[in-house]
Amino acid sequence: MGFFSRAPRVEQLKVVIVGAGEVGYHIAHRLAQESKEVVIIDQSSEALRRVSEVLDVQTFQGSGCSPVVLSDAGVMDADIFLAVTDSDEINIIACLFANAISPDSIKIARIRNEEYNLYQDALTNKPLNISTIINPEIEVIKAIDRMLAVPGAVDFSEFAEGRVKLVGIRVEKGPLVGKKLMAFRDVVPDTNVLIAAIVRGEDLIIPSGRDEIISGDIVYFACKDTSLDVVRSVCGRDMAPVRDVLIIGGGNIGLRLAVLFERKGLHVKLVDKSEARCQYLAEKLNSTLVLRGDGTDQDFLREENVGEMDAVISLTSDEETNILSSLLAKNLGAKKTVTRVNKVAYQPLVSAIGIDHSVSPRLSAVNSILHHIRRGKVLSSVSIRGEGAEALEAIAQADSELVGKPVKDLAMPRGTLLLAIVRGKEVVIPSGDSMIQPDDRIIILSTRENVSRVEQALTVTLKQL
């Protein structure tokens, strides 16, 4: 019987979420789709109405700082407690009472104020015992850094300390266009590369050998780190690294990103409208050229040679400004544009109008939180194309049905694909005859609909079946 052939008997995970804003809503949305027991608490009846009308979750109106509300919401039985309101102070107090009520539950808090992060030990030890602190600003900077790490890529993730890469590249011409995947080895004989997914418009496909690559597809390749140049070469992508960057918006994210780029030795220009803010930025930064100006002023962008930039990153708090400045930069010849979009619903629209990448602090926080609440021996997880699919890195448990069988006999459903097996220092991009051994690291890509089955399969053992 195959690995996925029957549903394992695993206790349902219970998650209590304080905060029904964008972050709380999207986490609840993802978890409800995976049939987890979700309870969401908020003081706003309007926010809770939006949740209850769309999602199959339980709602409680009240303050997340109230131990009575937390008790009534069943925090004592929660496996995971998430405090993700827009207020750092509410999130901290909510974790304080949650720890008193349910000391064994995993607690994750969204905390943005850098001053609190300086005292991380006080937050993660008693009396709070916060397991993980999520800072949306830091998460979005990590996302931008990944986007620029591989020239020519539209998405990029790493697993197993960087030994396994998952890279998405838009394929517009070259030997792969028009090829069915059963002929992939005729074009790419390197067995350390496989095609993990294809994004076509708004559709995400976990492919079979019958699927075909067409011009304009974003193709996700899983490969060893040593085969990354093979992937870029077959896609005909420029391999020149990013060196010259223009950042529009000198807020906290823009400043943090400029500091990171300085450390990496990039040539950075940082633009902000406020004279006072520019003076502050100039004091905080070393090699970055700080400019007072308007990122939506075409003449200003032309004067600053925006057409010669490897990347233009728009990070103001105003979405319209970010979108317009990115479009102007692209029109003037910038090689790559990254745009901050706060509303998650706007994300699909950005690529449709010609902007290369979009980032959302809220969505970055959601993805980071989801990675921390996966069951089983899951080491990391990465969302692909928003909520379309997820790649999970996990440890294969010794007494699981997963081990000791050829991959072709695991009966994985369509929409699920084993990308890599990591055994000690060895990385295997699997074939049908590959076998998973106890304690191997495995990386599995799954569509949203199958994530819960994958997660349960990673948790279940033969004794539970």
Side-chain angles (χ1 to χ4, degrees):
M1 184 168 285
F3 175 36
F4 288 90
S5 54
R6 53 181 165 175
R9 295 191 299 273
V10 179
E11 286 186 20
Q12 190 179 36
L13 194 76
K14 180 175 180 178
V15 182
V16 175
I17 303 171
V18 174
E22 286 278 311
V23 173
Y25 174 85
H26 284 280
I27 294 170
H29 183 241
R30 288 283 291 273
L31 297 179
Q33 288 180 320
E34 298 170 15
S35 301
K36 292 181 171 60
E37 183 182 354
V38 179
V39 180
I40 191 160
I41 302 167
D42 201 285
Q43 288 183 302
S44 167
S45 58
E46 175 110 12
L48 293 177
R49 190 181 306 115
R50 176 198 179 201
V51 169
S52 60
E53 286 176 353
V54 179
L55 307 180
D56 183 17
V57 302
Q58 190 176 2
T59 60
F60 272 84
Q61 185 174 1
S63 171
C65 297
S66 165
V68 175
V69 171
L70 296 180
S71 295
D72 289 346
V75 168
M76 67 286 294
D77 301 323
D79 298 289
I80 297 170
F81 179 82
L82 305 177
V84 294
T85 74
D86 286 336
S87 167
D88 292 347
E89 290 74 22
I90 289 176
N91 295 339
I92 291 170
I93 294 170
C95 287
L96 173 67
F97 285 119
N99 189 57
I101 297 168
S102 180
D104 295 331
S105 64
I106 295 170
K107 295 158 199 76
I108 300 174
R110 175 192 183 191
I111 298 177
R112 293 178 294 179
N113 190 324
E114 195 168 358
E115 292 180 2
Y116 288 129
N117 288 308
L118 294 174
Y119 295 91
Q120 192 157 355
D121 288 345
L123 296 173
T124 54
N125 296 323
K126 290 183 178 180
L128 293 171
N129 280 341
I130 299 175
S131 308
T132 304
I133 296 170
I134 303 295
N135 185 328
E137 293 179 356
I138 293 175
E139 298 306 321
V140 84
I141 288 166
K142 290 178 183 176
I144 294 169
D145 192 34
R146 285 195 301 269
M147 288 174 183
L148 302 185
V150 180
V154 300
D155 201 358
F156 177 66
S157 302
E158 295 181 308
F159 301 92
E161 292 82 42
R163 288 178 288 165
V164 179
K165 314 289 189 185
L166 182 61
V167 55
I169 297 179
R170 190 178 297 278
V171 178
E172 294 172 341
K173 56 184 178 180
L176 288 177
V177 175
K179 290 283 187 184
K180 290 192 180 295
L181 295 198
M182 62 181 67
F184 177 66
R185 287 286 169 244
D186 297 338
V187 180
V188 184
D190 186 344
T191 56
N192 294 319
V193 180
L194 64 76
I195 291 181
I198 298 170
V199 175
R200 185 169 298 152
E202 295 303 310
D203 297 327
L204 185 141
I205 304 163
I206 307 295
S208 68
R210 297 183 297 277
D211 288 300
E212 180 180 324
I213 296 172
I214 64 175
S215 180
D217 284 351
I218 297 174
V219 180
Y220 279 80
F221 298 86
C223 64
K224 288 187 182 181
D225 54 352
T226 52
S227 297
L228 194 55
D229 287 345
V230 172
V231 171
R232 288 191 294 213
S233 176
V234 77
C235 294
R237 284 296 171 184
D238 179 16
M239 293 175 9
V242 171
R243 297 191 183 278
D244 297 301
V245 179
L246 175 68
I247 301 172
I248 298 172
N252 290 339
I253 298 177
L255 174 57
R256 286 176 185 264
L257 192 63
V259 169
L260 173 64
F261 287 166
E262 282 187 346
R263 290 195 198 119
K264 293 189 162 205
L266 305 186
H267 304 135
V268 185
K269 292 182 179 181
L270 178 56
V271 176
D272 198 272
K273 285 183 179 181
S274 166
E275 183 175 355
R277 185 65 181 175
C278 286
Q279 290 176 347
Y280 175 80
L281 294 169
E283 292 170 1
K284 292 292 182 182
L285 295 166
N286 296 317
S287 59
T288 297
L289 178 60
V290 178
L291 302 166
R292 184 186 176 196
D294 184 350
T296 62
D297 184 336
Q298 188 165 335
D299 292 334
F300 172 78
L301 294 176
R302 192 180 284 112
E303 286 173 10
E304 295 304 327
N305 299 316
V306 73
E308 298 177 8
M309 292 292 166
D310 297 315
V312 175
I313 306 167
S314 300
L315 297 173
T316 76
S317 58
D318 183 80
E319 285 166 320
E320 288 75 14
T321 296
N322 294 337
I323 291 170
L324 180 55
S325 60
S326 292
L327 290 173
L328 287 171
K330 195 73 177 175
N331 188 55
L332 290 170
K335 294 185 180 68
K336 183 175 288 194
T337 53
V338 181
T339 306
R340 173 184 175 180
V341 179
N342 294 322
K343 293 186 179 69
V344 177
Y346 285 5
Q347 295 277 323
L349 304 176
V350 174
S351 59
I353 60 176
I355 294 172
D356 298 314
H357 303 284
S358 62
V359 291
S360 162
R362 289 165 178 161
L363 187 58
S364 296
V366 169
N367 291 337
S368 182
I369 289 168
L370 285 170
H371 139 216
H372 287 288
I373 64 177
R374 290 296 175 212
R375 298 188 75 173
K377 292 191 175 181
V378 177
L379 304 177
S380 66
S381 69
V382 174
S383 293
I384 306 299
R385 300 301 288 177
E387 297 183 356
E390 194 166 334
L392 301 172
E393 178 183 2
I395 302 293
Q397 299 184 58
D399 53 356
S400 171
E401 268 199 328
L402 172 62
V403 303
K405 294 182 179 179
V407 170
K408 63 187 176 185
D409 293 339
L410 292 181
M412 292 188 180
R414 181 169 174 82
T416 305
L417 184 66
L418 180 66
L419 301 184
I421 301 169
V422 181
R423 183 174 302 137
K425 295 183 178 180
E426 180 187 10
V427 175
V428 177
I429 303 298
S431 67
D433 294 323
S434 299
M435 281 192 177
I436 298 168
Q437 297 180 8
D439 297 322
D440 281 351
R441 285 195 194 190
I442 57 173
I443 301 160
I444 297 177
L445 182 67
S446 174
T447 56
R448 178 179 57 196
E449 293 79 12
N450 285 326
V451 164
S452 185
R453 295 175 69 187
V454 172
E455 189 183 8
Q456 288 185 337
L458 291 169
T459 307
V460 76
T461 66
L462 286 173
K463 296 174 185 175
Q464 293 173 292
L465 291 169

